Amino acid sequence: MVMRLAKGRMTRTAGAVLAGVMALSLAGCGGSAPVQESSAPKQEAQAQTEAQAAAGEPEELTIWMGSWWEDQIPKIVEAYKEVEPNVNLTIEALPVNGYVDKAVTTILGGGGPDILAVDVTQMGTLVDKNLLQPWDDQIKDMDLSDFAAVIEGGKFDGVYYGLPYRTSSSIMYYNKTMFDEAGVPYPEAGWTYDDMLEIAKKLTIPGEQYGVGIGASNADPSNVFLTLSPVIWSYGGDYLNEDQTECTLNTPEAIEAIRYWTGLYTTEKVAPEGAVNYTMTKDIMPLFIENKVALMMGGDQNAVEFDTNYPDLNYGYCVPPKAPSGSGGWLFTVPVTAKNSPGAYKFAKWFLQPEVLGELTIRIPARKEATNYGIWNDPLYQTILESAMVGRLSPTIPQWTDMQKIIIVELQNIMQGAKTVEQGCEDMAQQCNDLLK
């Protein structure tokens, strides 16, 4: 548990990390027909690429990534040129707004890049439309045990359609000033959600300060589930059954988990009074900075924000209470319309080598061994990766975006006393099942 980031790393990474902070909640475009195209043009393009390579002619390779990679692209291109001098690598940095929609439209039209970087939450939409090539034949010689839990987000019906280069996971931040003033020990390894509640009670002074920060605003769905999901999983509940065909938020386990989470606000009153309409970034984090909230979930970007703009804030961080934490990340995929599939797989496997990934990535690498390289051997990132290695993913089905909205509305109904926990959970399940039909 560390209070401050090393200044050397801050100088190199703060700007890049802050520029890339985002919470994706892009709606899936389910229901479209798969790409209906003859395999002949693709085979011709592949044959042409192979012929060019055999003749020693330059080989073209295109990649789409998020806009936050723009400054790093020249370094990646230069590094790859050293190992593959005959490849003309083009990496396009695209804004996240409309990213997946642009990819779907372009691939359905027969175009697109050779490699498409995809957030794990977008995988379901692309696989559902049959827009991605499987990876299984390409990874037979790879040891996948070193990858963080986000790797499972690229697997559908037992087939891999992507490999992750970036991971993320939640960690728990605690306000040392509030803990010290109350004489409460800092969280310890292996602590539970029952422990968190007891700590929160000791640090709550109604109307003045609160033990834990949660938010239930539909304006910030990703951060609602940042705190909710680990509680549901710790109680043995989940959002969907194993084959993701039925919502299970009305099971006894899920009901008790939601009773605990909403109870932080309704009965225990250890969460801020406005939590039902709060977001983590705009509401909870400022209260944490002002020493009015003692515990809050967040990612590495929060530490960068604290150290950059609030140097007097006395804080620490640790792995969340003993339970699977929420995890996420980005993966390399190869569209079905890729003109240079062999080159795409070759680049991805090169970039995913631990030593290359550790040196070239600007986000937390999805391989544990990669943290031995570059800037990533830092207590903050080690803590996040420790959480990410055993984390769990939210559903990757196309309906998940709409399901989140339903769940949050019912959470608000429970928190405002409009429904009982049981009724709210039953209504969540019914409405989500209507989407799944």
Side-chain angles (χ1 to χ4, degrees), residues 195-214:
D195 296 330
M196 188 187 83
L197 178 56
E198 291 306 309
I199 290 172
K201 288 179 179 179
K202 294 175 183 177
L203 292 168
T204 295
I205 302 175
E208 296 183 23
Q209 66 181 50
Y210 296 89
V212 61
I214 61 172

Side-chain angles (χ1 to χ4, degrees), residues 108-122:
L108 285 172
D114 298 303
I115 293 179
L116 175 68
V118 176
D119 183 272
V120 67
T121 63
Q122 302 165 345

